[in-house]
Amino acid sequence: MKLGTKREMNQLDEMAISNYLIPSVLLMEQAASRLYEYISQEHSGKEILILCGPGNNGGDGLALARQLVCLGKENVTIGFVADSEKLSRDGKCYQAICEKLCIPSISLLDEQDKLYTVIESSDVIVDGIFGTGLTRVVEGATKALFVRVNQSKAFKVSIDIPSGIQCDTGVILGEAIKADCTITFQLGKVGQFVYPGLEYCGELRVVDIGIPQALVEEMACSHYVIEEQLASKLLPRRPIRSNKGTYGKVLVIGGQIGMSGAICMTSLSAMRVGAGLVTMAVPKSLTQIVEQKVTEAMTLPLPEQDGHLSSQAADVLKEIIARYSVIAIGPGLGRDISAQRIMEVVLASDRPTVVDADGLYALKPYLEQMKLRKTPLILTPHVGEMSMLCEVSVEEILKDPMKYARDFSKRYGVITVLKLERMFIVDPASETLYITAKGHQAVAKGGAGDVLTGFITGILACNNQPLEAAILGAYLHGDTSLHVVEHKGIYSVLPTDLLDYVGDSFKNLMSL
């Protein structure tokens, strides 16, 4: 599903008005109708306070007030958070109608205490204060109002986006309304899927307000959310006449004393999502251990030193790496000079490759060399590893993770899968950013990244489409985490539980 930025949504409205001659007031009426449908079905007969700010968001709130009183006979009070003179032209039209209907109203500017009293007594508070256009920090009386609203026991419904959230980044501008439900128009907004904004939206409902679908389909878009429909289209085919070789030969390089579990989880995960053959390239002394852990995979014993792969391992790999169709490197690899030598061999092979964990550290000296590869690498860093690669602090990355992921992919020509509350996947060719819609903090444990690497690698072995593999692998990881939590709760989840329930995610996608 496409996600809109502030600029893109404004362009969509303008094109509907100019190209299809749809009056802006009709779009506002349609928006109010979708809001009315939700409130009349879920909250009929309750005391409703509609907080209206400047611009079209406040106008939507006033249009909703008209419909609730005229159609639903609800008990409605309007709270003006800003001077009503700052309403849009359409908003002023609805304000005049509401005055004629004698809908009671209160102004924050003149009757703050009275408005606070109504907040405490309301069953439902509708947030029509600021929309997607907010760029300044919320402060003063408005900030105090937001705090009061958040403290109230009322059910909170935000119009289009919770007020106080920056539409394009999810950043909280001083203070924001914490909604129980957000009714957003035509497309989801980027800031609704990015932390901390996603934490403030509650249940998110995307509703159609009558903008022609042709405009939505034609709209140039730089952000997508990975939902079921997109993921289902990316499922690799498994034809009747096929064999293990049809689904790729994977070589997973890593492992050291004390870190054998990482490469085992990656290897088993790759097989679980469909890879035909998996070989674990590990230090010779670990061969027996990993064979006991993963009976379905083969092993490639390599020269070692002090419990990790030695520089001689790079020479062995150089001779045989062409036998494999896909490479995964990093889980438990170690961070010494021998790991860098092995990475040099992998880069020179030009095989489709997924790089994670210690592999990212081994890759650091060869960033410029990545640009020369015919097949883009897939990198799966968490924020700390992204910090290392970009040579900026973790705090800087967290201020704008989408920007850093996009800039890194563009500069080096790699597919970046940045692991956060939701994963960001960047296509270096188009700079399009894909955001996972699902995920759960229950899997925030050591080993979850190794499973993700296996999911992406296994799918890549089946379809040989790096971007599709990254998108589908990230989707499966997030969606499966919800299946695991459903069965095991949020505390006792292990990363390997994802392997037991990824089949549920596959079955759901196949049913679409």
Side-chain angles (χ1 to χ4, degrees), residues 98-162:
C98 289
E99 288 176 351
K100 290 293 184 181
L101 291 171
C102 299
I103 301 174
S105 65
I106 308 168
S107 170
L108 174 66
L109 302 178
D110 303 320
E111 304 167 285
Q112 177 177 292
D113 291 342
K114 184 178 179 181
L115 182 56
Y116 282 179
T117 299
V118 175
I119 287 172
E120 293 302 315
S121 63
S122 296
D123 300 309
V124 178
I125 297 176
V126 178
D127 159 31
I129 304 170
F130 301 124
T132 58
L134 183 67
T135 56
R136 62 180 175 82
V137 173
V138 177
E139 53 190 2
T142 306
K143 181 176 181 179
L145 173 72
F146 283 17
V147 172
R148 283 295 186 111
V149 170
N150 288 337
Q151 289 173 344
S152 76
K153 297 179 180 179
F155 189 92
K156 302 163 192 74
V157 181
S158 283
I159 298 176
D160 210 15
I161 193 167

Coordinates of all heavy atoms in Angstrom, one line a residue, residues 98-162:
C98 N -22.9 25.1 11.7 CA -22.9 24.7 13.1 C -23.6 25.8 14.1 O -24.3 25.5 15.0 CB -21.6 24.3 13.6 SG -20.9 22.8 12.9
E99 N -23.3 27.0 13.8 CA -23.9 28.1 14.5 C -25.4 28.2 14.3 O -26.1 28.3 15.3 CB -23.2 29.4 14.2 CG -21.8 29.6 14.7 CD -21.2 30.9 14.2 OE1 -21.8 31.6 13.3 OE2 -20.0 31.2 14.6
K100 N -25.8 28.0 13.1 CA -27.2 27.9 12.8 C -27.9 26.8 13.5 O -29.1 26.8 13.9 CB -27.5 27.9 11.3 CG -27.1 29.1 10.5 CD -28.0 30.3 10.9 CE -27.7 31.5 10.1 NZ -28.6 32.7 10.4
L101 N -27.2 25.7 13.6 CA -27.8 24.5 14.3 C -27.7 24.6 15.8 O -28.2 23.7 16.5 CB -27.0 23.2 13.8 CG -27.2 22.8 12.4 CD1 -26.2 21.7 12.0 CD2 -28.6 22.3 12.2
C102 N -27.1 25.7 16.3 CA -27.0 26.0 17.7 C -26.2 24.9 18.5 O -26.5 24.5 19.6 CB -28.4 26.1 18.4 SG -29.3 27.5 17.7
I103 N -25.2 24.4 17.8 CA -24.3 23.4 18.4 C -23.4 24.2 19.4 O -22.8 25.1 19.0 CB -23.4 22.6 17.4 CG1 -24.3 21.9 16.4 CG2 -22.5 21.7 18.1 CD1 -23.5 21.3 15.3
P104 N -23.4 23.8 20.7 CA -22.7 24.5 21.7 C -21.2 24.5 21.4 O -20.7 23.5 20.9 CB -23.0 23.9 23.0 CG -23.5 22.5 22.6 CD -24.2 22.7 21.3
S105 N -20.5 25.6 21.6 CA -19.1 25.7 21.4 C -18.4 26.4 22.5 O -18.9 27.2 23.2 CB -18.8 26.4 20.0 OG -19.2 27.7 20.1
I106 N -17.1 26.0 22.7 CA -16.3 26.6 23.8 C -14.9 27.0 23.1 O -14.4 26.2 22.3 CB -16.0 25.6 24.9 CG1 -17.4 25.1 25.4 CG2 -15.3 26.3 26.1 CD1 -17.2 23.9 26.4
S107 N -14.3 28.1 23.5 CA -13.0 28.5 23.0 C -11.9 28.3 24.1 O -12.1 28.7 25.2 CB -13.1 29.9 22.6 OG -11.8 30.4 22.3
L108 N -10.9 27.6 23.7 CA -9.7 27.4 24.6 C -9.1 28.8 25.0 O -8.7 29.0 26.1 CB -8.7 26.6 23.9 CG -7.3 26.4 24.6 CD1 -7.5 25.6 25.9 CD2 -6.3 25.7 23.8
L109 N -9.2 29.7 24.0 CA -8.6 31.0 24.3 C -9.3 31.8 25.4 O -8.7 32.6 26.1 CB -8.6 31.9 23.0 CG -7.8 31.2 21.8 CD1 -7.9 32.1 20.5 CD2 -6.4 31.0 22.1
D110 N -10.6 31.7 25.4 CA -11.4 32.5 26.4 C -12.0 31.7 27.5 O -12.4 32.3 28.5 CB -12.6 33.2 25.6 CG -12.0 34.0 24.5 OD1 -11.0 34.7 24.6 OD2 -12.6 34.0 23.4
E111 N -12.2 30.4 27.3 CA -12.9 29.6 28.3 C -12.1 28.3 28.6 O -12.7 27.2 28.6 CB -14.3 29.2 27.8 CG -15.1 30.5 27.4 CD -16.4 30.1 26.6 OE1 -16.2 29.7 25.4 OE2 -17.5 30.1 27.2
Q112 N -10.9 28.4 29.0 CA -10.1 27.2 29.2 C -10.6 26.3 30.3 O -10.7 25.1 30.0 CB -8.6 27.7 29.5 CG -7.7 26.5 29.8 CD -6.3 27.0 30.1 OE1 -5.6 27.5 29.3 NE2 -5.8 26.8 31.4
D113 N -11.0 26.8 31.4 CA -11.4 26.0 32.5 C -12.7 25.3 32.1 O -12.9 24.1 32.5 CB -11.7 26.9 33.8 CG -10.4 27.4 34.3 OD1 -9.3 26.8 34.0 OD2 -10.4 28.3 35.1
K114 N -13.6 26.0 31.4 CA -14.9 25.4 31.0 C -14.6 24.2 30.0 O -15.2 23.2 30.1 CB -15.8 26.4 30.3 CG -17.1 25.9 29.9 CD -18.0 27.0 29.4 CE -19.4 26.5 29.0 NZ -20.2 27.5 28.3
L115 N -13.6 24.4 29.1 CA -13.3 23.4 28.1 C -12.7 22.2 28.9 O -13.0 21.0 28.5 CB -12.3 23.9 27.1 CG -11.9 22.9 26.0 CD1 -13.1 22.4 25.2 CD2 -10.9 23.6 25.0
Y116 N -11.8 22.4 29.8 CA -11.3 21.3 30.6 C -12.4 20.5 31.3 O -12.3 19.3 31.4 CB -10.3 21.9 31.7 CG -8.9 22.3 31.1 CD1 -7.9 22.8 31.9 CD2 -8.6 22.1 29.7 CE1 -6.7 23.1 31.4 CE2 -7.4 22.5 29.2 CZ -6.4 23.0 30.1 OH -5.2 23.3 29.6
T117 N -13.4 21.2 31.8 CA -14.5 20.5 32.5 C -15.2 19.6 31.5 O -15.6 18.4 31.8 CB -15.5 21.5 33.1 OG1 -14.8 22.3 34.0 CG2 -16.6 20.8 33.8
V118 N -15.4 20.1 30.3 CA -16.1 19.3 29.3 C -15.2 18.1 28.9 O -15.7 17.0 28.6 CB -16.5 20.1 28.0 CG1 -17.1 19.3 26.9 CG2 -17.4 21.2 28.4
I119 N -13.9 18.3 28.8 CA -13.0 17.2 28.5 C -13.2 16.1 29.5 O -13.3 14.9 29.2 CB -11.6 17.7 28.5 CG1 -11.3 18.5 27.2 CG2 -10.6 16.5 28.5 CD1 -9.9 19.2 27.2
E120 N -13.3 16.4 30.8 CA -13.5 15.4 31.8 C -14.8 14.7 31.8 O -14.9 13.5 32.1 CB -13.3 16.1 33.2 CG -11.9 16.6 33.5 CD -10.9 15.5 33.4 OE1 -11.1 14.4 33.9 OE2 -9.8 15.8 32.8
S121 N -15.8 15.3 31.3 CA -17.1 14.7 31.3 C -17.5 14.0 29.9 O -18.5 13.3 29.8 CB -18.2 15.8 31.6 OG -18.2 16.8 30.6
S122 N -16.6 14.1 28.9 CA -16.9 13.6 27.6 C -16.6 12.1 27.6 O -15.7 11.6 28.2 CB -16.1 14.3 26.5 OG -16.5 15.7 26.4
D123 N -17.4 11.4 26.8 CA -17.2 10.0 26.5 C -16.2 9.7 25.4 O -15.5 8.8 25.3 CB -18.5 9.2 26.2 CG -19.5 9.3 27.4 OD1 -19.1 9.0 28.5 OD2 -20.6 9.7 27.1
V124 N -16.4 10.6 24.4 CA -15.5 10.6 23.2 C -15.0 11.9 22.9 O -15.7 12.9 22.9 CB -16.4 10.1 21.9 CG1 -15.5 10.1 20.7 CG2 -17.0 8.7 22.2
I125 N -13.7 12.0 22.6 CA -13.1 13.2 22.2 C -12.5 13.0 20.8 O -11.7 12.1 20.5 CB -11.9 13.7 23.1 CG1 -12.5 13.9 24.5 CG2 -11.2 14.9 22.6 CD1 -11.4 14.3 25.5
V126 N -13.0 13.9 19.8 CA -12.5 13.8 18.5 C -11.4 14.9 18.3 O -11.7 16.1 18.5 CB -13.6 14.0 17.5 CG1 -13.1 14.0 16.0 CG2 -14.7 13.0 17.7
D127 N -10.3 14.5 17.8 CA -9.1 15.4 17.6 C -9.1 15.9 16.2 O -8.6 15.1 15.3 CB -7.9 14.6 18.0 CG -6.6 15.2 17.4 OD1 -6.5 16.4 17.2 OD2 -5.7 14.4 17.1
G128 N -9.6 17.1 16.0 CA -9.5 17.7 14.7 C -8.7 19.0 14.8 O -9.0 20.0 14.2
I129 N -7.6 18.9 15.6 CA -6.8 20.1 15.9 C -5.8 20.5 14.8 O -5.9 21.6 14.2 CB -6.1 20.0 17.3 CG1 -7.2 19.6 18.3 CG2 -5.4 21.3 17.7 CD1 -6.6 19.2 19.7
F130 N -4.9 19.6 14.6 CA -3.9 19.8 13.6 C -3.8 18.6 12.6 O -3.9 17.5 13.1 CB -2.5 20.0 14.1 CG -2.3 21.2 15.1 CD1 -1.9 21.0 16.4 CD2 -2.7 22.5 14.7 CE1 -1.7 22.0 17.3 CE2 -2.5 23.5 15.6 CZ -2.1 23.3 16.9
G131 N -3.7 18.8 11.4 CA -3.6 17.7 10.4 C -2.2 17.4 10.0 O -1.3 17.5 10.8
T132 N -2.0 17.0 8.8 CA -0.7 16.6 8.3 C 0.2 17.7 8.0 O 1.4 17.5 7.8 CB -0.9 15.8 7.0 OG1 -1.6 16.6 6.0 CG2 -1.8 14.5 7.2
G133 N -0.3 18.9 8.1 CA 0.6 20.1 7.7 C 1.4 20.6 8.9 O 2.2 21.6 8.7
L134 N 1.3 20.1 10.1 CA 1.9 20.7 11.2 C 3.5 20.5 11.1 O 4.0 19.5 10.9 CB 1.5 20.0 12.5 CG 2.0 20.6 13.8 CD1 1.5 22.0 14.1 CD2 1.7 19.6 15.0
T135 N 4.1 21.7 11.3 CA 5.6 21.7 11.3 C 6.2 22.3 12.6 O 7.4 22.1 12.9 CB 6.1 22.4 10.1 OG1 5.6 23.8 10.1 CG2 5.7 21.7 8.8
R136 N 5.4 23.1 13.3 CA 6.0 23.8 14.5 C 5.7 23.0 15.7 O 4.9 22.1 15.8 CB 5.3 25.2 14.6 CG 3.8 25.1 14.8 CD 3.2 26.5 15.0 NE 1.8 26.5 15.1 CZ 1.1 26.2 16.2 NH1 1.8 26.0 17.3 NH2 -0.2 26.2 16.2
V137 N 6.5 23.3 16.7 CA 6.4 22.6 18.0 C 5.1 23.1 18.8 O 4.8 24.3 18.8 CB 7.6 22.9 18.9 CG1 7.5 22.3 20.3 CG2 8.9 22.3 18.2
V138 N 4.4 22.1 19.3 CA 3.2 22.5 20.1 C 3.6 23.0 21.5 O 4.4 22.3 22.1 CB 2.3 21.2 20.2 CG1 1.1 21.5 21.1 CG2 1.8 20.7 18.9
E139 N 3.1 24.1 21.9 CA 3.5 24.6 23.2 C 2.4 25.5 23.8 O 1.3 25.6 23.2 CB 4.8 25.5 23.0 CG 4.7 26.6 21.9 CD 6.0 27.2 21.6 OE1 7.0 26.8 22.2 OE2 6.0 28.2 20.8
G140 N 2.7 26.0 25.0 CA 1.7 26.9 25.6 C 0.4 26.2 26.0 O 0.4 25.1 26.4
A141 N -0.7 27.0 25.8 CA -2.0 26.5 26.1 C -2.4 25.3 25.4 O -3.1 24.4 25.9 CB -3.0 27.6 25.9
T142 N -2.0 25.2 24.1 CA -2.3 24.0 23.3 C -1.6 22.8 23.8 O -2.2 21.7 23.9 CB -1.9 24.3 21.8 OG1 -2.5 25.5 21.3 CG2 -2.4 23.1 20.9
K143 N -0.4 22.9 24.2 CA 0.3 21.7 24.8 C -0.3 21.3 26.1 O -0.5 20.1 26.3 CB 1.8 22.1 25.0 CG 2.6 21.0 25.6 CD 4.1 21.4 25.8 CE 4.9 20.2 26.3 NZ 6.3 20.6 26.5
A144 N -0.7 22.2 26.9 CA -1.4 21.9 28.1 C -2.7 21.2 27.9 O -3.1 20.3 28.6 CB -1.7 23.2 29.0
L145 N -3.4 21.6 26.8 CA -4.7 21.0 26.4 C -4.4 19.5 26.0 O -5.2 18.6 26.4 CB -5.3 21.7 25.2 CG -6.5 21.1 24.6 CD1 -7.7 21.2 25.5 CD2 -6.9 21.7 23.2
F146 N -3.4 19.3 25.2 CA -3.0 17.9 24.8 C -2.8 17.0 26.0 O -3.3 15.9 26.0 CB -1.8 17.9 23.9 CG -2.0 18.4 22.5 CD1 -3.1 19.1 22.2 CD2 -1.1 18.1 21.5 CE1 -3.3 19.5 20.9 CE2 -1.3 18.5 20.2 CZ -2.4 19.3 19.9
V147 N -2.1 17.5 27.0 CA -1.9 16.8 28.2 C -3.2 16.4 28.9 O -3.4 15.3 29.3 CB -1.0 17.5 29.2 CG1 -0.9 16.8 30.5 CG2 0.4 17.7 28.6
R148 N -4.1 17.4 29.0 CA -5.4 17.1 29.6 C -6.2 16.1 28.8 O -6.8 15.2 29.4 CB -6.2 18.4 29.7 CG -5.8 19.4 30.8 CD -6.1 18.8 32.1 NE -5.8 19.7 33.2 CZ -6.8 20.3 34.0 NH1 -8.0 20.0 33.8 NH2 -6.4 21.2 34.9
V149 N -6.2 16.2 27.5 CA -6.9 15.2 26.7 C -6.3 13.8 26.9 O -7.1 12.8 27.1 CB -6.8 15.6 25.2 CG1 -7.4 14.5 24.3 CG2 -7.6 16.9 24.9
N150 N -5.0 13.7 26.9 CA -4.4 12.4 27.1 C -4.6 11.8 28.5 O -4.7 10.6 28.6 CB -2.9 12.5 26.8 CG -2.5 12.7 25.4 OD1 -3.3 12.3 24.5 ND2 -1.4 13.2 25.1
Q151 N -4.8 12.6 29.5 CA -5.1 12.2 30.8 C -6.6 11.8 31.0 O -6.9 11.0 32.0 CB -4.8 13.3 31.8 CG -3.3 13.5 32.0 CD -3.0 14.7 32.9 OE1 -3.8 15.6 33.1 NE2 -1.7 14.8 33.3
S152 N -7.5 12.2 30.1 CA -8.9 11.9 30.3 C -9.2 10.5 30.0 O -8.4 9.8 29.3 CB -9.7 12.8 29.4 OG -9.6 12.4 28.0
K153 N -10.3 10.0 30.5 CA -10.7 8.6 30.3 C -11.5 8.4 29.0 O -11.9 7.3 28.6 CB -11.5 8.1 31.5 CG -10.7 8.0 32.8 CD -11.5 7.5 33.9 CE -10.7 7.5 35.2 NZ -11.5 7.0 36.4
A154 N -11.7 9.5 28.3 CA -12.6 9.5 27.1 C -11.9 8.7 26.0 O -10.6 8.6 25.9 CB -12.8 10.9 26.6
F155 N -12.7 8.1 25.1 CA -12.1 7.4 23.9 C -11.7 8.5 22.9 O -12.5 9.4 22.6 CB -13.2 6.5 23.3 CG -12.7 5.6 22.2 CD1 -12.2 4.3 22.5 CD2 -12.6 6.0 20.9 CE1 -11.7 3.5 21.5 CE2 -12.1 5.2 19.9 CZ -11.7 3.9 20.2
K156 N -10.5 8.4 22.4 CA -10.0 9.5 21.6 C -9.9 9.1 20.1 O -9.3 8.0 19.8 CB -8.6 9.9 22.1 CG -8.7 10.4 23.6 CD -7.3 10.4 24.2 CE -7.5 10.6 25.7 NZ -7.9 9.3 26.4
V157 N -10.5 9.8 19.2 CA -10.5 9.6 17.8 C -9.8 10.7 17.1 O -10.2 11.9 17.3 CB -11.9 9.5 17.2 CG1 -11.8 9.2 15.7 CG2 -12.7 8.4 17.9
S158 N -8.7 10.5 16.4 CA -8.0 11.5 15.7 C -8.4 11.5 14.2 O -8.6 10.5 13.6 CB -6.5 11.3 15.8 OG -6.0 11.7 17.0
I159 N -8.5 12.7 13.7 CA -8.9 12.9 12.3 C -7.6 13.0 11.4 O -6.8 13.9 11.6 CB -9.7 14.2 12.1 CG1 -11.0 14.1 12.9 CG2 -10.0 14.5 10.6 CD1 -11.9 15.4 12.8
D160 N -7.4 12.0 10.6 CA -6.3 11.9 9.6 C -5.0 11.6 10.2 O -4.3 10.6 9.8 CB -6.2 13.2 8.8 CG -5.6 12.9 7.4 OD1 -5.6 11.8 7.0 OD2 -5.2 13.9 6.7
I161 N -4.6 12.3 11.3 CA -3.3 11.9 12.0 C -3.4 12.6 13.4 O -4.0 13.7 13.5 CB -2.1 12.5 11.2 CG1 -0.8 11.8 11.8 CG2 -2.0 14.0 11.2 CD1 0.4 12.1 10.9
P162 N -3.0 11.9 14.4 CA -3.0 12.5 15.7 C -2.3 13.8 15.8 O -1.2 13.9 15.3 CB -2.3 11.5 16.6 CG -2.6 10.2 16.0 CD -2.5 10.5 14.5

